[in-house]
């Protein structure tokens, strides 16, 4: 069954406007069947009639050729495959996520934060591990260092250390990336 006339969505600009069915006004056109065989040069009305007989659409695939080339195909399926192909070419951009800890973070809370970091690393995101010091905790930086080392030991199989732990004012920061 031929598809209904498609109205353009004003929110989504179409990249390649293809004429289908009644939108093809140029005469004559070269027609290719749904099986891929050349049907020859004919008028758009005859080609549209053949497309309707098979229950498919007439789609202009090469508008700049002389005569223009049109193909008998399922237009909805064709658009779906184009979108799928376009989506496949998009690459994943690495994001940076952060987990914040304190020197007094409990064992279970630490495990929860490590599980979050593990999820980020599995999704190919970089993770910044930050240990924040407040007040008198600054006098015991070694406690924060122990927490940082514990986190890095738990995440070692999944990541590589991109920037080793460094002390920056009231925080200790380390950047890790997925392997």
């Amino acid at each position: 069954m031929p598809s209904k006339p498609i109205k353009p969505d004003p929110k989504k600009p179409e990249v390649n406007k293809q004429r289908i069915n009644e939108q093809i006004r140029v005469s004559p056109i070269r027609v290719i069947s749904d099986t891929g065989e050349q049907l020859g040069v004919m008028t758009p009305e005859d080609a549209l009639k053949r497309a309707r007989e098979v229950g498919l659409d007439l789609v202009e695939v090469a508008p700049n050729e002389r005569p223009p080339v049109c193909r008998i195909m399922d237009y909805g399926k064709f658009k779906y495959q184009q979108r799928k192909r376009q989506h496949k070419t998009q690459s994943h951009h690495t994001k940076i996520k952060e987990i914040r800890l304190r020197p007094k973070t409990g064992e279970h809370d630490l495990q929860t934060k490590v599980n979050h970091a593990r999820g980020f690393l599995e999704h190919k995101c970089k993770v910044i591990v930050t240990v924040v010091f407040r007040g008198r905790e600054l006098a015991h930086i070694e406690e924060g260092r122990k927490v940082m080392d514990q986190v890095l030991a738990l995440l070692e199989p999944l990541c590589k250390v991109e920037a080793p732990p460094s002390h920056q004012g009231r925080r200790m920061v380390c950047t890790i990336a997925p392997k």
Side-chain angles (χ1 to χ4, degrees):
M1 178 162 226
S3 58
K4 295 178 184 176
I6 297 172
K7 295 178 187 171
D9 188 1
K11 296 173 194 160
K12 277 197 279 184
E14 281 214 28
V15 178
N16 50 351
K17 295 226 178 200
Q18 289 179 313
R19 291 186 279 237
I20 60 168
N21 297 335
E22 288 83 16
Q23 296 172 347
I24 302 169
R25 301 191 195 291
V26 180
S27 187
I29 56 174
R30 184 174 306 279
V31 182
I32 302 171
S33 74
D34 56 323
T35 57
E37 68 180 79
Q38 296 259 349
L39 297 179
V41 178
M42 59 180 75
T43 64
E45 292 78 23
D46 293 339
L48 191 56
K49 195 161 92 176
R50 286 201 180 191
R52 295 261 161 85
E53 286 172 4
V54 215
L56 297 173
D57 300 306
L58 184 65
V59 182
E60 188 176 47
V61 290
N64 298 331
E65 298 297 317
R66 290 293 155 233
V69 180
C70 297
R71 186 179 193 123
I72 296 174
M73 66 171 80
D74 184 355
Y75 185 67
K77 185 176 177 182
F78 174 69
K79 289 297 284 182
Y80 171 75
Q81 288 172 340
Q82 270 188 330
R83 249 185 271 120
K84 193 170 156 185
R85 202 175 307 125
Q86 182 185 15
H87 183 71
K88 193 182 285 186
T89 60
Q90 294 175 351
S91 64
H92 179 79
H93 301 290
T94 53
K95 295 180 184 171
I96 298 177
K97 301 287 190 172
E98 181 180 20
I99 60 167
R100 288 186 180 185
L101 303 161
R102 299 276 308 275
K104 294 181 179 178
T105 302
E107 185 63 37
H108 185 264
D109 294 333
L110 186 78
Q111 202 63 25
T112 302
K113 296 280 189 171
V114 167
N115 287 338
H116 284 296
R118 188 172 284 130
F120 297 148
L121 290 167
E122 287 171 355
H123 285 94
K124 306 286 187 247
C125 296
K126 290 183 182 181
V127 179
I128 297 176
V129 181
T130 307
V131 179
V132 182
F133 299 95
R134 287 189 181 163
R136 292 186 181 178
E137 291 173 349
L138 278 168
H140 302 284
I141 295 173
E142 67 278 353
E143 291 296 320
R145 184 63 169 197
K146 285 180 188 174
V147 171
M148 181 71 77
D149 291 340
Q150 192 176 1
V151 168
L152 292 177
L154 289 169
L155 292 173
E156 185 184 8
L158 290 173
C159 70
K160 58 183 177 222
V161 177
E162 207 168 72
S166 63
H167 192 71
Q168 301 170 353
R170 292 184 170 271
R171 49 182 68 210
M172 186 180 292
V173 180
C174 175
T175 306
I176 55 178
K179 281 189 177 176

